[in-house]
Amino acid sequence: MPKHSKVTQREHSGEHVTESVADLLALEEPVDYKQSVLNVAGGPGGKPAAAAEEELDAEDRPAWNSKLQYILAQIGFSVGLGNIWRFPYLCQKNGGGAYLVPYLVLLIIIGIPLFFLELAVGQRIRRGSIGVWHYVCPRLGGIGFSSCIVCLFVGLYYNVIIGWSIFYFFKSFQYPLPWSECPVVRNGTVAVVEAECEKSSATTYFWYREALDISNSISESGGLNWKMTLCLLMAWTIVGMAVVKGIQSSGKVMYFSSLFPYVVLACFLVRGLLLRGAVDGILHMFTPKLDKMLDPQVWREAATQVFFALGLGFGGVIAFSSYNKQDNNCHFDAALVALINFFTSVLATLVVFAVLGFKANIMNEKCVVENAEKILGYLHSNVLSQDLIPPHVNFSHLTTQDYAEMYKVIMTVKEDRFSALGLDPCQLEDELDKSVQGTGLAFIAFTEAMTHFPASPFWSVMFFLMLINLGLGSMIGTMAGITTPIIDTFKVPKEMFTVGCCVFAFFVGLLFVQRSGNYFVTMFDDYSATLPLTVIVILENIAVAWIYGTKKFMQELTEMLGFRPYRFYFYMWKFVSPLCMAVLTTASVIQLAVTPPGYSAWIREEAAERYLYFPDWAMALLILLIVVATLPIPVVLVLRHFRLLADGSNTLSVSYKKGRMRKDVSNLEENDETRFILSKVPSEAPSPMPTHRSYLGPGGTSPLGPGGTPNGRYGSGYLLAGTPESEL
């Protein structure tokens, strides 16, 4: 090195020296390359280049303890409550087994390619969502901030559902289960059944009155529900303890929270198949209604389910992937996690409809008994003639087939006055066709079925412990979508920021544990994430495929993975996925505009649900949620377009100290020589996920030049540790 250079002058003084990249690279001699990571792989006195790069990454960023821990984290995040109570409902509603066809098609052309894309950019750039999209396309850097906001909105109400599960979990440690019978109210010496319960059912009454103590509308706050407030506090405490140390703590939790639900589902499947009527439920579930496949609404709902089932756009997938090594096979991970997610949904559907088939048989038999008593009453009062009853019918052992035959005869003979008799057909198909989803499935239908199980408290404890673990796995990923990008970008203390997030979320979450809180959960679940996430994911796709460049991205994946991904992904990212996402976004906007937003309110006096529209102030809040979630995208775009916010193109310099080159972020002057590698001209802009640069030692020649052969996995014999890739 020239003896009058700035580096030479300051090395002797022991000062920390910062040089521009152009200055360092222009020098003919290496910077003490034998003692630095600017070294020929395996050269004397130095470490192999790949090992040096891994050492830098290990110093700068935590990593998963094992590949299994990482896979379980991704499975825990993607497999959530929606697999248990959303997918079975959609399957039943949209054609049974026929629904699996559009779901699988859309999983292949939308789900796996976009999931692979998020895994790849997270692993390649090794940053959270804010850092990733800042590097890929600075003007679309607002995508990362929008992801964080959506994660916050979802986390606020999702943990409330965990709180509900905790409440039911503790209530399950008693026999009989508290929702198995209606409570009796004493009025002096007279004992009467609670009117609200008698008009509905024991499980419905327990859910709406004992658990939620719900008000009649969203406008009636009713004050805090102290039981649910304590459960919410416990839920945030559990989540905080799981994520406070980052992947060091959450990774260990995933071993239990990701695997335990499969143990419970397997137990429920075996138990469910042994129940009377389970086969009826499963056959009803998977009997295909092929005409449904031609309905566009079925495809839209299948696309939405694929989209949310894999957790696309939340930032959790990117955050988890960013802790991987650069050579991890994320292509295999994408296919594996997506298929496990699909398998889990099918398994959960089998369990749900085996149990609901059993419940349908119980309710159908109850219907037969009640209507048989009505017919006996009509026979005794001579309203009906004994001649209408088939001779083989025995009322003491009445089967559903006997009742169906008797019902048909009475309906034919008494056609003109049949409706006045008030007889129900009591058909099993009618019971099986009753669609339930979400909280209605978990806290009403399923809990009612479990009251008929032998050892019902045990199965109830297992079921709600499974829901808690499913929710916890998703919450860990959701929190990672918030904490990882913020900590990476703003360098805030991890533990302090995580604890602060949990405390803040708990106090904001009190909105959901007032007596009208369930209606706010419905609002946030239906509207706060659906449209913003579709916008986020389509912009992610466009940023990589059309702005950054699909060919360039595929080339970098080849260097990172060691093999070229299938050409299939090129066409999916470039054409098919953006088109499908655009159609889905348009359909979501149209549905929002055409269908007035509303919610199902529980009316205490009627002991029944009634669909109500949101009042004006609630509509304003709903619109505000959507605007706030998407606002960072245009704001960052405008600020960077008018150069009011640095785009990062001139913030990279190199520090040299103790034989190592590192990236140093600083605000350099506009005319700094870093333009040598970071051009402001879009066509000349370097890769935000650049390939390794060749460093030529004294008298060296390019390993990729004429007659040369690639040296090392990435085709370069020398690695510049100060490039963005090695630091990311």
Side-chain angles (χ1 to χ4, degrees):
M1 183 177 294
K3 66 180 181 179
H4 297 299
S5 72
K6 288 182 277 184
V7 173
T8 304
Q9 292 172 0
R10 296 182 189 174
E11 265 190 330
H12 297 293
S13 65
E15 293 180 19
H16 183 79
V17 180
T18 300
E19 278 290 288
S20 70
V21 177
D23 192 6
L24 285 172
L25 295 181
L27 299 174
E28 293 183 357
E29 295 181 273
V31 184
D32 194 14
Y33 69 93
K34 290 184 179 181
Q35 299 301 323
S36 73
V37 292
L38 288 172
N39 180 37
V40 183
K47 298 180 181 180
E53 183 182 63
E54 289 180 2
E55 180 184 346
L56 282 175
D57 288 338
E59 290 178 2
D60 295 337
R61 193 167 191 79
W64 297 103
N65 291 336
S66 66
K67 180 65 175 282
L68 175 62
Q69 191 180 82
Y70 163 68
I71 293 296
L72 289 178
Q74 290 286 14
I75 291 172
F77 177 52
S78 66
V79 175
L81 298 173
N83 297 77
I84 303 297
W85 65 32
R86 179 70 178 168
F87 186 88
Y89 161 76
L90 290 175
C91 221
Q92 177 192 21
K93 175 188 173 186
N94 296 319
Y99 174 74
L100 299 180
V101 175
Y103 185 87
L104 269 175
V105 169
L106 292 168
L107 181 67
I108 293 171
I109 66 174
I110 294 181
I112 294 178
L114 294 180
F115 191 60
F116 178 31
L117 184 146
E118 289 201 356
L119 290 179
V121 295
Q123 179 175 310
R124 182 70 164 170
I125 303 178
R126 294 177 64 80
R127 287 290 182 269
S129 56
I130 295 176
V132 160
W133 302 114
H134 169 76
Y135 272 101
V136 171
C137 179
R139 291 191 177 186
L140 290 179
I143 294 174
F145 291 99
S146 288
S147 292
C148 290
I149 294 172
V150 170
C151 281
L152 175 62
F153 288 164
V154 172
L156 286 174
Y157 77 83
Y158 206 88
N159 225 22
V160 175
I161 300 174
I162 298 179
W164 294 342
S165 302
I166 290 172
F167 175 80
Y168 269 80
F169 172 75
F170 285 113
K171 286 289 184 179
S172 299
F173 288 95
Q174 49 188 300
Y175 184 82
L177 291 171
W179 51 82
S180 60
E181 297 177 351
C182 283
V184 175
V185 180
R186 292 199 170 272
N187 186 8
T189 58
V190 180
V192 294
V193 177
E194 173 67 44
E196 185 180 4
C197 184
E198 189 175 23
K199 292 178 182 177
S200 53
S201 69
T203 50
T204 304
Y205 173 82
F206 187 87
W207 166 241
Y208 283 119
R209 193 54 52 211
E210 296 293 334
L212 300 180
D213 193 18
I214 199 164
S215 61
N216 284 356
S217 72
I218 195 172
S219 301
E220 302 174 23
S221 169
L224 289 178
N225 181 337
W226 66 269
K227 292 178 290 188
M228 287 305 169
T229 303
L230 292 178
C231 291
L232 179 63
L233 178 61
M234 184 178 296
W236 276 113
T237 302
I238 294 171
V239 170
M241 292 172 63
V243 301
V244 68
K245 295 291 185 181
I247 62 171
Q248 282 79 11
S249 57
S250 62
K252 295 179 177 64
V253 173
M254 286 298 182
Y255 284 112
F256 182 77
S257 66
S258 296
L259 294 176
F260 179 74
Y262 290 96
V263 175
V264 177
L265 284 174
C267 292
F268 263 98
L269 181 61
V270 173
R271 183 69 187 92
L273 292 175
L274 297 175
L275 294 172
R276 178 170 46 87
V279 176
D280 294 328
I282 293 174
L283 288 177
H284 177 79
M285 175 67 253
F286 287 103
T287 301
K289 303 177 182 66
L290 298 179
D291 58 305
K292 287 280 190 177
M293 291 177 58
L294 302 177
D295 186 354
Q297 180 73 3
V298 173
W299 288 81
R300 189 189 71 81
E301 292 189 346
T304 304
Q305 179 62 18
V306 166
F307 182 76
F308 286 104
L310 294 175
L312 300 175
F314 283 95
V317 172
I318 293 175
F320 284 156
S321 183
S322 71
Y323 298 113
N324 271 330
K325 294 181 180 179
Q326 285 269 333
D327 59 352
N328 175 63
N329 188 350
C330 57
H331 174 259
F332 172 79
D333 299 343
L336 177 65
V337 173
L339 291 177
I340 289 177
N341 188 293
F342 175 69
F343 163 77
T344 307
S345 297
V346 174
L347 176 62
T349 301
L350 286 172
V351 171
V352 166
F353 278 90
V355 174
L356 291 183
F358 165 70
K359 174 180 174 287
N361 271 268
I362 295 291
M363 300 305 293
N364 196 52
E365 290 175 0
K366 183 179 177 182
C367 176
V368 168
V369 170
E370 291 176 351
N371 284 272
E373 290 177 354
K374 288 183 182 180
I375 293 175
L376 282 173
Y378 292 142
L379 291 174
H380 293 152
S381 60
N382 295 322
V383 175
L384 294 177
S385 171
Q386 187 69 40
D387 297 335
L388 298 177
I389 309 301
H392 65 275
V393 171
N394 183 357
F395 277 91
S396 60
H397 297 88
L398 189 64
T399 65
T400 54
Q401 292 79 10
D402 290 341
Y403 175 79
E405 183 180 350
M406 188 167 52
Y407 177 86
K408 186 179 294 185
V409 171
I410 295 173
M411 184 174 63
T412 303
V413 174
K414 297 286 186 178
E415 184 176 359
D416 53 337
R417 296 188 303 163
F418 180 75
S419 59
L421 297 177
L423 297 178
D424 297 317
C426 295
Q427 294 182 355
L428 184 62
E429 287 292 318
D430 293 340
E431 286 292 336
L432 291 171
D433 280 334
K434 291 180 178 177
S435 300
V436 286
Q437 65 164 322
T439 55
L441 173 63
F443 299 107
I444 298 178
F446 224 81
T447 52
E448 183 173 354
M450 286 188 294
T451 59
H452 301 287
F453 283 17
S456 55
F458 168 77
W459 293 104
S460 184
V461 167
M462 293 284 283
F463 177 71
F464 289 109
L465 187 57
M466 177 187 71
L467 291 188
I468 292 170
N469 279 275
L470 284 171
L472 179 61
S474 297
M475 273 302 299
I476 289 173
T478 302
M479 288 297 293
I482 300 172
T483 58
T484 298
I486 297 297
I487 292 170
D488 285 347
T489 305
F490 301 104
K491 309 301 179 187
V492 295
K494 182 191 301 179
E495 290 83 358
M496 184 182 300
F497 178 71
T498 303
V499 172
C501 275
C502 292
V503 173
F504 170 78
F506 167 72
F507 283 106
V508 176
L510 294 178
L511 172 71
F512 304 99
V513 291
Q514 54 184 337
R515 290 182 58 201
S516 61
N518 185 50
Y519 306 136
F520 287 97
V521 170
T522 301
M523 175 194 291
F524 274 66
D525 188 34
D526 290 344
Y527 302 105
S528 71
T530 305
L531 185 58
L533 278 180
T534 53
V535 173
I536 287 170
V537 175
I538 193 172
L539 289 178
E540 287 180 357
N541 196 168
I542 291 172
V544 171
W546 289 92
I547 299 177
Y548 183 69
T550 311
K551 289 183 179 179
K552 188 192 299 184
F553 186 58
M554 291 285 283
Q555 179 60 36
E556 291 179 347
L557 287 181
T558 303
E559 295 169 356
M560 182 173 74
L561 300 175
F563 63 89
R564 188 172 185 83
Y566 297 118
R567 192 74 177 171
F568 163 80
Y569 291 105
F570 177 89
Y571 295 108
M572 292 300 105
W573 289 331
K574 190 78 173 178
F575 305 109
V576 180
S577 294
L579 179 62
C580 291
M581 291 302 303
V583 171
L584 180 60
T585 304
T586 304
S588 299
V589 172
I590 292 174
Q591 185 188 32
L592 190 62
V594 171
T595 307
Y599 61 100
S600 292
W602 179 258
I603 309 301
R604 182 170 192 165
E605 294 74 21
E606 301 173 6
E609 290 184 339
R610 185 194 300 169
Y611 190 81
L612 301 177
Y613 296 118
F614 285 117
D616 292 342
W617 64 266
M619 283 295 298
L621 176 60
L622 185 153
I623 295 171
L624 182 64
L625 291 174
I626 297 174
V627 170
V628 168
T630 54
L631 189 61
I633 298 173
V635 167
V636 172
L637 176 65
V638 170
L639 290 178
R640 284 186 170 152
H641 177 75
F642 292 103
R643 302 180 184 275
L644 300 175
L645 183 66
D647 64 0
S649 63
N650 63 341
T651 59
L652 183 66
S653 66
V654 175
S655 297
Y656 174 79
K657 188 176 183 180
K658 295 184 179 179
R660 177 169 290 170
M661 292 182 68
R662 293 186 176 220
K663 184 174 71 174
D664 177 38
V665 178
S666 59
N667 292 321
L668 304 181
E669 297 296 331
E670 189 70 21
N671 60 353
D672 195 277
E673 294 159 319
T674 50
R675 294 184 183 182
F676 179 80
I677 63 165
L678 293 171
S679 170
K680 282 185 174 290
V681 182
S683 61
E684 300 174 357
S687 160
M689 302 173 287
T691 58
H692 295 289
R693 297 179 181 274
S694 297
Y695 176 80
L696 306 181
T701 58
S702 170
L704 299 179
T709 57
N711 179 19
R713 183 161 188 268
Y714 297 103
S716 62
Y718 299 82
L719 302 179
L720 178 59
T723 60
E725 178 186 344
S726 64
E727 284 300 308
L728 297 176

